[in-house]
């Protein structure tokens, strides 16, 4: 099995590969943000922090998880379908 050289790919394939690289970078940042928010929530709860901060972090975590899932489905799993926003 040989790896296709850059010259063997069409401009559309190169553009798609670059776009998927960007998607991967965004997903990585979302995952880091989600992990940091969960860590912050644990620390706030452990220290007996502000109830409003706990609520805000809990809501943020839920939003980040929903957005991460939707972004994955809209990009990697969308196939050739066009999504109307």
């Amino acid at each position: 099995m040989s790896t296709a050289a850059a010259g063997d790919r069409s401009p559309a394939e190169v553009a798609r590969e670059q776009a998927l690289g960007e998607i991967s970078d965004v997903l990585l940042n979302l995952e880091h943000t989600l992990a940091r928010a969960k860590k912050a929530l644990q620390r706030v709860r452990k220290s007996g922090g502000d109830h409003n901060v706990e609520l805000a972090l809990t809501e943020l975590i839920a939003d980040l998880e929903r957005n991460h899932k939707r972004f994955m489905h809209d990009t990697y799993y969308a196939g050739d379908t066009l999504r109307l926003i």
Side-chain angles (χ1 to χ4, degrees), residues 13-34:
E13 290 171 327
V14 172
R16 176 161 171 75
E17 185 178 305
Q18 289 173 342
L20 289 175
E22 294 296 330
I23 298 303
S24 178
D25 291 346
V26 171
L27 285 169
L28 183 62
N29 282 321
L30 275 172
E31 290 162 6
H32 282 282
T33 303
L34 183 56

Side-chain angles (χ1 to χ4, degrees), residues 55-71:
L55 290 175
L57 284 167
T58 301
E59 186 174 336
L60 174 66
I61 290 166
D63 288 344
L64 287 170
E65 289 173 339
R66 278 191 299 273
N67 285 316
H68 181 274
K69 182 178 179 179
R70 180 152 188 192
F71 191 57

